[in-house]
């Protein structure tokens, strides 16, 4: 970014797009967030504009894939060669992971599938231009892998996490409304989808609505539908999501962002079972199960008068809380290997192992973006990995932020567990692993050797023999 630009001036983004309607739409969205847009209709114009006064003030580039067509990656490489620090986001209608990989290897910071919501576009721009966090490596990515829809895909053994899963699995078999609370990126939508797949309504209609991606004045229309001429621009009748899901399930993500009027209308619809489209004098009786996700505890929003207590009570007949990743760092190794296995199945990528030095580094970070951010970081690392193993060197910005790895090893050893792999990706000798297990057990049970032997499933005499054979001091 250009440090000479005043903080009060609009940030500048170049849009490379030959569709006037889309250019106007993106420019309008960007303007609401304090961005000014300059438009280049072709690759040649874009390259030429980089050298202009405005071009030197750019904070980001948005590139529609269809402008250069098959040469999109070549254009990205050309733009990056001229302005290496300038983040580039590709817009495309293709959901191909292979294209995402090729674009990122060419230098793109992210890859956005159209149609893209205003919130998602601005989130991506903020992520790649924020000064407070390192660019690229830790920036969230668009979902590059389709979500698995069963509880087996929810990886983790932390007690709070397992409690939440058990509660969700039990509740899934019913018909009551469910509220899932947890920070952004903890897996709320994935859990809601898994619940639907395990529910009696799994074959019935389902729709996912992200409240945060809908303009506030359109939320009621999306949920309840509208009649022609109900408001300016409403030329046709629209069936709302609740009516569409009659007999099925409606997933409401970021329900905490519902506008006040929509909260009251939704509470009335749930309580009466009748949906009234905007501008209609009549209503429709529906049977819809609501699975809702909230980034914030609704009780706190009620206290600050930002959420309707009646609606919170109706939505949260059953409430499930998903813990943040920083509260279950012991799950990071299993999550990492699970994600790497899934990433390795994507076109253009390969199966990678992970060294213990890398796991130590990953466990030391507090992951404000939670599981979603961990997956994004691993995806980026896999895209750029030339070997067969991710090591601490695969995450340079994490290493820089967290300091020397030797300091982390001692302070985070409990979160990572026993080191199974060497830095070259090979398994350590069984004797070394066994010695580490025994040392860990002695420390965990404070030298109570009878308890150590019992927990390891061996006799005391066998334990002492192993201590001798492995050269372990039982005071370790």
């Amino acid at each position: 970014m250009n440090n000479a630009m005043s903080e009060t001036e609009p940030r500048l983004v170049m849009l490379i797009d030959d569709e006037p309607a889309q250019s106007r739409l993106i420019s309008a969205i960007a303007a609401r967030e304090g961005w000014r847009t300059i438009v280049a209709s072709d690759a040649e114009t874009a390259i030429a504009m980089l050298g202009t006064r405005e071009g030197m003030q750019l904070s980001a580039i948005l590139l529609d894939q269809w402008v250069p067509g098959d040469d999109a990656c070549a254009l990205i490489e050309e733009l990056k060669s001229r302005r290496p620090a300038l983040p580039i986001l590709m817009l495309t209608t293709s959901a191909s992971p292979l294209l995402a990989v090729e674009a990122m290897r060419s230098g793109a910071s992210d890859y956005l599938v159209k149609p893209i919501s205003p919130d998602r576009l601005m989130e991506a721009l903020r992520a790649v231009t924020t000064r407070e966090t390192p660019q690229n490596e830790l920036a969230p990515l668009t979902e590059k892998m389709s979500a698995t829809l069963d509880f087996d895909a929810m990886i983790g053994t932390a007690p709070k996490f397992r409690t939440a899963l058990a509660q969700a699995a039990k509740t899934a078999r019913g018909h009551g409304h469910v509220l899932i609370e947890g920070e952004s990126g903890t897996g709320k939508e994935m859990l809601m989808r898994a619940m639907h797949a395990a529910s009696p309504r799994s074959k019935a209609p389902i729709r996912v609505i992200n409240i945060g991606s809908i303009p506030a004045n359109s939320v009621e229309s999306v949920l309840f539908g509208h009649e022609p001429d109900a408001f300016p621009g409403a030329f046709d009748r629209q069936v709302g999501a609740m009516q569409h899901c009659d007999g099925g399930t409606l997933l409401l993500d970021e329900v905490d962002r519902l506008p006040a009027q929509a909260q009251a209308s939704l509470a009335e619809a749930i309580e009466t079972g009748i949906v009234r489209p905007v501008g209609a004098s009549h209503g429709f009786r529906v049977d819809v199960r609501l699975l809702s996700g909230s980034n914030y505890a609704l009780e706190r929003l009620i206290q600050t008068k930002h959420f309707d207590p009646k609606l919170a009570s109706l939505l949260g007949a059953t409430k499930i809380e998903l813990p943040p990743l920083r509260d279950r760092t012991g799950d990071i190794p299993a999550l990492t290997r699970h994600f790497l296995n899934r990433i390795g199945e994507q076109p253009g990528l390969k199966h990678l192992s992970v060294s213990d030095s890398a796991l130590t580094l990953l466990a030391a970070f507090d992951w404000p973006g939670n599981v979603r951010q961990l997956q994004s970081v691993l995806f980026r690392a896999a895209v750029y990995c030339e070997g067969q193993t991710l090591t601490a060197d695969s995450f340079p910005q994490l290493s820089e932020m967290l300091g020397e790895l030797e300091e982390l090893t001692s302070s985070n050893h409990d979160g990572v567990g026993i080191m199974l792999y060497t830095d070259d990706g090979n398994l350590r000798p069984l004797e070394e692993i066994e010695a580490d297990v025994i040392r860990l057990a002695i420390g965990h049970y404070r030298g109570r050797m009878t308890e150590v032997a019992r927990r390891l499933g061996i006799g005391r005499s066998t334990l002492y023999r192993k201590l001798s054979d492995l050269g372990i001091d039982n005071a370790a």
Side-chain angles (χ1 to χ4, degrees):
M1 291 185 299
N2 188 344
N3 292 329
M5 181 180 290
S6 167
E7 293 290 339
T8 60
E9 292 179 11
R11 287 167 295 177
L12 192 63
V13 59
M14 178 195 289
L15 172 62
I16 306 174
D17 195 341
D18 60 356
E19 295 182 14
Q22 180 171 266
S23 297
R24 287 193 297 270
L25 176 62
I26 290 178
S27 298
I29 293 171
R32 294 205 301 264
E33 292 286 333
W35 288 78
R36 186 165 65 87
T37 306
I38 57 174
V39 180
S41 59
D42 55 52
E44 291 75 16
T45 303
I47 292 171
M49 289 176 70
L50 283 182
T52 66
R53 182 176 178 180
E54 283 188 318
M56 297 305 294
Q57 295 179 327
L58 288 173
S59 293
I61 293 176
L62 290 171
L63 166 63
D64 191 305
Q65 179 212 349
W66 294 112
V67 176
D70 293 337
D71 296 326
C73 291
L75 176 57
I76 292 173
E77 289 178 351
E78 176 68 19
L79 294 170
K80 292 297 285 188
S81 70
R82 293 169 182 264
R83 299 287 294 279
L86 195 60
I88 300 174
L89 291 80
M90 180 189 280
L91 307 177
T92 178
T93 56
S94 170
S96 166
L98 180 58
L99 184 54
V101 170
E102 291 174 347
M104 291 173 64
R105 284 179 176 158
S106 297
S109 300
D110 205 346
Y111 169 97
L112 309 176
V113 179
K114 298 186 295 184
I116 183 172
S117 72
D119 277 13
R120 181 64 192 97
L121 175 60
M122 299 321 302
E123 178 186 340
L125 279 171
R126 283 193 297 269
V128 296
T129 57
T130 298
R131 288 185 173 90
E132 288 76 13
T133 57
Q135 292 182 15
N136 300 325
E137 185 174 297
L138 299 179
L141 288 167
T142 329
E143 182 63 60
K144 298 296 185 292
M145 299 178 289
S146 58
T148 309
L149 302 183
D150 57 52
F151 285 101
D152 290 340
M154 305 292 287
I155 305 297
T157 59
K160 287 184 179 179
F161 183 73
R162 297 312 302 180
T163 297
L165 285 197
Q167 189 180 6
K170 180 179 179 180
T171 307
R173 298 191 290 269
H175 291 274
H177 306 312
V178 181
L179 172 66
I180 302 174
E181 294 180 343
E183 295 178 8
S184 178
T186 49
K188 296 185 297 297
E189 183 182 335
M190 185 177 180
L191 184 59
M192 288 189 286
R193 288 179 179 275
M195 290 181 66
H196 170 74
S199 76
R201 302 182 182 224
S202 60
K203 305 299 182 184
I206 178 177
R207 182 163 289 184
V208 181
I209 303 293
N210 186 301
I211 301 299
S213 68
I214 305 172
N217 59 1
S218 301
V219 170
E220 290 192 70
S221 173
V222 171
L223 292 178
F224 313 123
H226 64 248
E227 292 295 300
D229 301 321
F231 49 83
F235 302 113
D236 302 308
R237 177 178 290 105
Q238 176 174 300
V239 175
M242 291 191 71
Q243 189 178 348
H244 173 85
C245 293
D246 188 17
T249 308
L250 178 60
L251 274 56
L252 291 180
D253 202 8
E254 296 193 59
V255 72
D256 49 285
R257 298 183 65 174
L258 271 173
Q261 180 55 49
Q263 291 179 30
S265 299
L266 181 57
E268 181 181 357
I270 295 172
E271 194 169 46
T272 63
I274 296 175
V275 169
R276 190 181 304 278
V278 177
S281 58
H282 58 282
F284 301 92
R285 184 166 293 279
V286 296
D287 170 26
V288 178
R289 186 185 198 189
L290 292 171
L291 303 181
S292 305
S294 174
N295 291 339
Y296 301 94
L298 293 190
E299 282 298 325
R300 292 185 181 179
L301 297 182
I302 290 171
Q303 293 170 8
T304 58
K305 310 296 184 184
H306 287 97
F307 207 86
D308 183 350
K310 181 179 180 181
L311 177 58
S313 177
L314 291 168
L315 292 175
T318 297
K319 186 167 70 174
I320 299 171
E321 296 181 12
L322 277 179
L325 186 55
R326 63 181 172 275
D327 288 350
R328 56 187 192 104
T329 54
D331 289 339
I332 287 178
L335 282 166
T336 296
R337 293 190 172 98
H338 170 71
F339 285 141
L340 288 180
N341 184 55
R342 291 189 59 208
I343 289 168
E345 295 171 353
Q346 306 305 307
L349 293 173
K350 58 191 174 184
H351 286 279
L352 297 170
S353 58
V354 59
S355 73
D356 288 322
S357 65
L359 290 176
T360 300
L361 192 67
L362 295 173
F365 190 56
D366 64 1
W367 299 107
N370 294 294
V371 177
R372 184 190 298 135
Q373 187 183 24
L374 173 63
Q375 178 177 299
S376 291
V377 166
L378 291 170
F379 189 93
R380 286 190 192 277
V383 166
Y384 300 117
C385 182
E386 296 181 355
Q388 300 299 317
T389 303
L390 294 182
T391 68
D393 292 337
S394 304
F395 309 96
Q397 290 166 333
L398 268 181
S399 297
E400 182 180 345
M401 290 174 64
L402 296 172
E404 293 300 321
L405 198 58
E406 288 77 13
E407 296 176 9
L408 299 175
T409 303
S410 58
S411 62
N412 291 280
H413 185 269
D414 287 346
V416 176
I418 301 301
M419 303 302 185
L420 300 179
Y421 296 88
T422 59
D423 275 352
D424 62 4
N426 292 313
L427 278 167
R428 296 172 62 206
L430 181 59
E431 184 178 88
E432 292 182 13
I433 295 173
E434 185 179 32
D436 279 355
V437 171
I438 293 174
R439 288 192 186 97
L440 185 64
I442 292 172
H444 186 77
Y445 295 107
R446 302 181 184 278
R448 292 177 284 130
M449 305 308 286
T450 300
E451 184 68 5
V452 170
R454 186 173 77 84
R455 293 293 181 176
L456 293 177
I458 58 178
R460 276 176 59 95
S461 60
T462 302
L463 174 60
Y464 282 111
R465 178 173 54 78
K466 286 182 177 292
L467 293 177
S468 176
D469 292 345
L470 296 170
I472 300 174
D473 179 359
N474 64 10

